[in-house]
Amino acid sequence: MNPLRVTLSSLAVLLLPLALLATGAAPAQAATYRLDRTISDTRITESSGLARSTWSSSVLWTHNDSGDLNRIFAIAADGTTKATYTLAGANANDWEDIASGPAHSLWVADTGDNDRVRSAVAIYKVTEPQTLATGTLAATKYVLTYPDGAHDAEGLMVHPVTGRVYLVSKQATGAAIYVAPATLSANTANLLTRVADAPAYVTAAAFAPNGVGFVLVDYWKAHIYAGLGAAPSSFAKPSLFQGESVEVSGDGQTIYLGSEGGNSPVYATAWPSTTSLNLTPGSSSTAATGTSFTDGQVATTFTLPRTTNLGGGVYAGALMRGAGSSTGYAARARFAADGSITLSVTRNVAGAAEAPLGSSAVLPTRFAAGSAIRVESSVSGTTAVTISVRAYAAGATVPAWQLTVTDSSASRLTTAAAPRVWGYLSSSAVGALALPYSGTTVTVVR
C-alpha cells in the first residue's frame, strides 16, 4: 500500500491499535530482535516483500510497492544492492509480495487491490540467476481468480517442496488463505480455492524452507503456524514505519521482518523453537496438552528426522480420554522406513493389553527425512465412542478423516481427561530418536 494513497479502509487499519487498547485485547508475546541490514538503495522506497535467495544464504530479494517499474532487487548482507533485474513480460500494477520456490524459482505477486475491483490478479515466475549481474529475466505470467469475488492480497507463499502457490487476503474480517491449482496454466485463468482462515490485515507471508509451518504478519504481530487450520503462536513485531514484508532464512532458524520507507531496516528474530518426544527402541513418550475434554480434537505437526534404522517404524499422534501417560485412545500415524504412512486407533488401558480398534490402508502421502506431517484426531460420544484420525503434509490442503472407528465395548473410555501428544519407536529400531513436534492445537467440542 502506498502511504500517500490513504483510503478510508487503510485509515481504519492505521487507527486499529487504539481500538485494540480500548477493548483490552491481550498483547502478543515478546520476541528479541537484531538489526540484520538496512536497505540503502535510494530507488527502494516502498519495500513490500522479501524472499530468500535459493543460491546465497546472505541475499534477500525485494521490490517496491505500486508506482515502480517491473523490477526486483538483490540485497546483500550489508544492505547494498548487488543486482537489479527487469522482469520481461511483467506489468507492475500493484506488486505486494515476493517468494522463493523450488528449482531456484522466484515469484512476484501483482495482487494488490485496495478498492477490490480487479476481476483477476497475476503472479510472475522467474528463474533466479546463480551469478548476480544487473539485467533482464524472462517472466511467466499466471492469472488467478478468486471463488468469492475480488480481494486485496498482500501475502504470497510458495511451498518449497510442492511448489503450490498460496495467497493471503488482507481485510478486517473474513480474511483467508487461498491455494492455486497444483498445476498452473499460463494460458487460462487459474481458480483459487479457499483453504483456511487468516488474521485481519495480513501484509506478508512466508513458508519455512522445509515446508514445516509458515508465518503471516500484520502491521503489529507475526503469527507462526504449524500447518493450515492450526492455531498460531503470535508475537509482537519491532517498531516499523509500515511493516509489509517477512521471510524465513534458508536454514529455517531466522525470521526477517522488513518495512516500507527509505533506508528501511530489516530486523531478524529466531524462529520459535520446537520440542521433541525422546524415544528409545521399544519405548513410548507423551507430553500433556493441559486442556481436559470428553469430546474434542487434537492436532500436532511432527517432523520426521530420518527414514533409516526405524525397524518397524515410528508412531506419532495423540492419546485422548487418557488418565496419565498410559491410558487413552491412541489415534496415530505409523511412519515406516520406506516412507509410507498408515493410521491406527487402539484403546490403551494401564495394566491391560492394547486393544486394536482399526487401521487404514497405506495413505497416498509419503514422507522423507525432514518431512513435516500433521496428525489430527477426534473423539466423541459415550454410548458409542467415535475416534477419527488423518495425516497429511503440513501446509497441504486438509483432507477428510482418513480412518474412523467406533468403540461400543464395555471397556470403552467415557470420561473427560487431558489429551497427550504421543509417540512410540519400534523395538527393532536402531538408536534413539528425538521426534520434534510443534503447533499442537486442542479443540473442545463440548
Side-chain angles (χ1 to χ4, degrees):
M1 181 184 71
N2 188 330
L4 297 179
R5 295 187 294 105
V6 179
T7 63
L8 289 177
S9 60
S10 61
L11 181 61
V13 174
L14 298 176
L15 294 176
L16 187 57
L18 298 177
L20 289 175
L21 291 174
T23 58
Q29 299 175 15
T32 300
Y33 295 97
R34 61 175 174 82
L35 179 63
D36 179 78
R37 69 194 76 188
T38 298
I39 299 176
S40 58
D41 192 326
T42 57
R43 297 171 297 174
I44 305 173
T45 57
E46 293 185 87
S47 174
S48 188
L50 291 173
R52 60 182 175 268
S53 169
T54 62
W55 291 110
S56 169
S57 61
S58 64
V59 169
L60 291 174
W61 291 91
T62 192
H63 57 83
N64 280 311
D65 205 327
S66 58
D68 193 23
L69 305 175
N70 52 325
R71 59 185 177 179
I72 59 176
F73 304 84
I75 308 300
D78 63 359
T80 60
T81 298
K82 297 194 70 171
T84 304
Y85 288 93
T86 298
L87 272 56
N91 295 320
N93 183 10
D94 194 351
W95 287 11
E96 292 292 357
D97 206 358
I98 185 170
S100 54
H104 301 293
S105 59
L106 290 173
W107 302 71
V108 177
D110 183 4
T111 56
D113 189 9
N114 287 333
D115 298 322
R116 295 173 177 81
V117 296
R118 298 177 68 178
S119 59
V121 294
I123 55 175
Y124 297 100
K125 176 185 177 182
V126 299
T127 298
E128 180 186 2
Q130 184 173 5
T131 302
L132 294 176
T134 294
T136 300
L137 299 174
T140 301
K141 177 181 180 179
Y142 300 101
V143 175
L144 306 177
T145 59
Y146 294 95
D148 50 2
H151 295 278
D152 183 28
E154 296 193 6
L156 167 71
M157 300 189 294
V158 179
H159 195 279
V161 179
T162 66
R164 293 292 291 272
V165 173
Y166 296 78
L167 293 183
V168 187
S169 64
K170 178 187 177 185
Q171 52 203 74
T173 59
I177 302 173
Y178 297 84
V179 65
T183 301
L184 292 172
S185 171
N187 301 314
T188 60
N190 300 271
L191 180 63
L192 296 163
T193 301
R194 191 183 194 279
V195 291
D197 295 335
Y201 301 118
V202 167
T203 60
F207 270 113
N210 58 1
V212 182
F214 58 90
V215 55
L216 306 180
V217 296
D218 56 33
Y219 288 114
W220 313 281
K221 292 184 292 183
H223 310 275
I224 308 296
Y225 292 79
L228 289 173
S233 60
S234 303
F235 55 86
K237 292 169 58 177
S239 178
L240 294 167
F241 168 69
Q242 190 163 322
E244 293 210 3
S245 56
V246 69
E247 182 54 297
V248 185
S249 62
D251 61 7
Q253 300 300 306
T254 303
I255 300 173
Y256 298 109
L257 296 156
S259 177
E260 293 191 354
N263 290 311
S264 58
V266 176
Y267 288 98
T269 189
W271 182 275
S273 60
T274 58
T275 51
S276 298
L277 295 174
N278 296 311
L279 306 173
T280 56
S283 76
S284 62
S285 178
T286 64
T289 63
T291 301
S292 182
F293 64 73
T294 301
D295 291 1
Q297 299 178 4
V298 183
T300 301
T301 296
F302 297 91
T303 303
L304 284 301
R306 69 174 195 246
T307 57
T308 58
N309 299 319
L310 293 183
V314 58
Y315 298 73
L319 195 67
M320 301 176 294
R321 292 191 185 177
S325 61
S326 56
T327 296
Y329 289 111
R332 60 205 183 187
R334 172 182 175 266
F335 303 97
D338 64 358
S340 65
I341 303 174
T342 55
L343 306 178
S344 65
V345 175
T346 63
R347 184 180 62 248
N348 299 7
V349 178
E354 182 178 83
L357 298 177
S359 61
S360 73
V362 174
L363 301 184
T365 300
R366 309 282 292 185
F367 78 95
S371 292
I373 304 296
R374 189 81 170 158
V375 181
E376 302 181 350
S377 52
S378 169
V379 63
S380 62
T382 53
T383 302
V385 182
T386 300
I387 309 101
S388 299
V389 60
R390 59 190 169 207
Y392 57 96
T397 302
V398 179
W401 295 112
Q402 296 158 324
L403 172 65
T404 297
V405 300
T406 300
D407 184 9
S408 300
S409 71
S411 301
R412 66 189 182 276
L413 306 175
T414 59
T415 58
R420 304 177 75 87
V421 176
W422 182 90
Y424 170 80
L425 181 61
S426 167
S427 60
S428 58
V430 178
L433 178 73
L435 181 64
Y437 68 93
S438 60
T440 298
T441 61
V442 175
T443 304
V444 178
V445 177
R446 69 169 185 232

